Coordinates of all heavy atoms in Angstrom, one line a residue:
E828 N -23.7 7.0 -7.5 CA -23.9 8.3 -8.3 C -23.7 9.4 -7.2 O -24.6 9.6 -6.3 CB -25.2 8.4 -9.0 CG -25.5 7.3 -9.9 CD -25.6 7.9 -11.3 OE1 -25.8 9.1 -11.5 OE2 -25.4 7.1 -12.2
V829 N -22.6 10.2 -7.3 CA -22.5 11.3 -6.3 C -22.3 12.6 -7.0 O -21.7 12.7 -8.1 CB -21.3 11.0 -5.4 CG1 -21.5 10.0 -4.4 CG2 -20.1 10.9 -6.2
P830 N -22.9 13.6 -6.4 CA -22.8 14.9 -7.1 C -21.4 15.4 -6.7 O -21.2 16.0 -5.7 CB -23.8 15.8 -6.4 CG -24.1 15.1 -5.1 CD -23.6 13.6 -5.2
V831 N -20.4 15.0 -7.4 CA -19.0 15.4 -7.1 C -18.9 16.9 -7.3 O -18.4 17.4 -8.4 CB -18.0 14.6 -7.9 CG1 -16.6 14.9 -7.5 CG2 -18.2 13.1 -7.7
K832 N -19.1 17.7 -6.3 CA -18.9 19.0 -6.4 C -17.9 19.4 -5.3 O -18.1 19.2 -4.1 CB -20.3 19.8 -6.0 CG -20.6 20.8 -7.0 CD -21.9 21.5 -6.5 CE -21.7 22.7 -5.7 NZ -22.9 23.2 -5.0
F833 N -16.7 19.6 -5.7 CA -15.7 19.9 -4.7 C -15.1 21.2 -5.0 O -15.2 21.8 -6.1 CB -14.6 18.8 -4.6 CG -13.9 18.5 -5.9 CD1 -12.8 19.3 -6.3 CD2 -14.3 17.6 -6.8 CE1 -12.2 19.1 -7.5 CE2 -13.8 17.4 -8.0 CZ -12.6 18.1 -8.3
E834 N -14.3 21.7 -4.0 CA -13.7 23.0 -4.1 C -12.2 22.9 -4.5 O -11.4 22.4 -3.8 CB -13.8 23.7 -2.7 CG -13.3 25.1 -2.6 CD -13.9 26.0 -3.6 OE1 -15.2 26.2 -3.4 OE2 -13.3 26.4 -4.5
P835 N -11.9 23.1 -5.8 CA -10.6 23.0 -6.3 C -9.5 23.6 -5.4 O -8.5 23.1 -5.3 CB -10.6 23.5 -7.7 CG -12.0 23.6 -8.0 CD -12.8 23.8 -6.8
L836 N -9.8 24.8 -4.9 CA -8.8 25.5 -4.1 C -8.4 24.6 -2.9 O -7.2 24.4 -2.7 CB -9.5 26.8 -3.6 CG -8.6 27.6 -2.7 CD1 -7.5 28.4 -3.4 CD2 -9.4 28.6 -1.7
E837 N -9.4 24.1 -2.2 CA -9.0 23.2 -1.1 C -8.2 22.0 -1.5 O -7.4 21.6 -0.8 CB -10.4 22.7 -0.4 CG -11.3 23.9 0.1 CD -10.7 24.7 1.3 OE1 -9.9 24.0 2.0 OE2 -11.0 25.8 1.4
L838 N -8.7 21.3 -2.6 CA -8.1 20.2 -3.1 C -6.6 20.5 -3.3 O -5.7 19.7 -3.0 CB -8.8 19.7 -4.3 CG -8.5 18.3 -4.7 CD1 -9.3 17.4 -3.8 CD2 -9.0 18.1 -6.2
V839 N -6.3 21.6 -3.9 CA -5.0 22.0 -4.3 C -4.1 22.3 -3.1 O -3.1 21.7 -2.7 CB -4.9 23.1 -5.3 CG1 -3.5 23.7 -5.5 CG2 -5.5 22.7 -6.7
V840 N -4.7 23.2 -2.3 CA -4.0 23.7 -1.2 C -3.6 22.7 -0.1 O -2.6 22.6 0.5 CB -4.7 24.9 -0.5 CG1 -4.1 25.4 0.8 CG2 -4.8 26.1 -1.4
H841 N -4.6 21.7 0.0 CA -4.4 20.7 1.1 C -3.8 19.3 0.4 O -3.8 18.3 1.1 CB -5.6 20.4 1.8 CG -6.1 21.7 2.6 ND1 -5.3 22.1 3.5 CD2 -7.2 22.4 2.5 CE1 -5.9 23.2 4.0 NE2 -7.0 23.5 3.4
Q842 N -3.5 19.4 -0.9 CA -3.0 18.2 -1.6 C -3.9 17.0 -1.3 O -3.4 15.9 -1.0 CB -1.6 18.0 -1.2 CG -0.7 19.1 -1.7 CD 0.8 18.8 -1.5 OE1 1.6 19.7 -1.4 NE2 1.2 17.5 -1.5
Q843 N -5.2 17.1 -1.4 CA -6.1 16.1 -1.2 C -6.3 15.2 -2.4 O -6.0 15.7 -3.5 CB -7.4 16.6 -0.7 CG -7.4 17.3 0.6 CD -8.7 18.1 0.8 OE1 -9.4 18.4 -0.1 NE2 -9.0 18.4 2.1
S844 N -6.7 14.0 -2.3 CA -7.0 13.1 -3.5 C -8.4 12.6 -3.3 O -8.8 12.3 -2.2 CB -6.1 11.9 -3.5 OG -4.7 12.3 -3.3
I845 N -9.1 12.5 -4.4 CA -10.3 11.7 -4.5 C -10.0 10.6 -5.4 O -9.5 10.7 -6.6 CB -11.4 12.6 -5.2 CG1 -11.7 13.8 -4.3 CG2 -12.7 11.7 -5.4 CD1 -12.7 14.8 -4.9
T846 N -10.1 9.4 -4.9 CA -9.7 8.2 -5.7 C -10.6 7.1 -5.5 O -11.7 7.2 -4.9 CB -8.3 7.9 -5.1 OG1 -7.8 6.7 -5.9 CG2 -8.2 7.4 -3.7
G847 N -10.3 5.9 -6.2 CA -11.2 4.8 -6.2 C -10.4 3.5 -5.7 O -9.2 3.5 -5.7
S848 N -11.1 2.5 -5.3 CA -10.5 1.2 -4.9 C -11.4 0.1 -5.5 O -12.6 0.2 -5.2 CB -10.3 1.2 -3.5 OG -9.7 0.0 -3.1
F849 N -10.8 -0.9 -6.0 CA -11.7 -2.0 -6.6 C -11.2 -3.3 -6.1 O -10.1 -3.7 -6.2 CB -11.5 -2.0 -8.2 CG -12.2 -3.1 -8.9 CD1 -13.6 -3.2 -8.7 CD2 -11.5 -4.0 -9.7 CE1 -14.2 -4.3 -9.4 CE2 -12.3 -5.0 -10.4 CZ -13.6 -5.1 -10.3
I850 N -12.1 -4.1 -5.5 CA -11.9 -5.4 -4.8 C -10.5 -5.4 -4.2 O -10.1 -4.6 -3.4 CB -12.3 -6.5 -5.6 CG1 -11.7 -6.5 -7.0 CG2 -13.9 -6.6 -5.7 CD1 -12.1 -7.8 -8.0
G851 N -9.7 -6.4 -4.6 CA -8.3 -6.5 -4.1 C -7.6 -7.7 -4.7 O -8.2 -8.5 -5.5
S852 N -6.4 -7.8 -4.5 CA -5.5 -8.8 -5.1 C -5.8 -10.2 -4.5 O -6.4 -10.3 -3.4 CB -4.1 -8.5 -5.0 OG -3.7 -8.6 -3.6
R853 N -5.2 -11.2 -5.1 CA -5.3 -12.6 -4.4 C -4.7 -12.6 -3.1 O -5.3 -13.2 -2.1 CB -4.8 -13.6 -5.4 CG -5.5 -13.8 -6.7 CD -4.9 -14.9 -7.4 NE -3.6 -14.7 -7.9 CZ -2.6 -15.6 -8.1 NH1 -2.9 -16.9 -7.8 NH2 -1.5 -15.3 -8.5

Side-chain angles (χ1 to χ4, degrees):
E828 298 248 339
V829 289
V831 182
K832 227 180 97 193
F833 58 85
E834 187 52 70
L836 177 80
E837 300 291 333
L838 199 71
V839 172
V840 170
H841 299 298
Q842 294 188 207
Q843 298 168 337
S844 316
I845 298 172
T846 182
S848 180
F849 179 56
I850 49 177
S852 66
R853 292 186 295 148

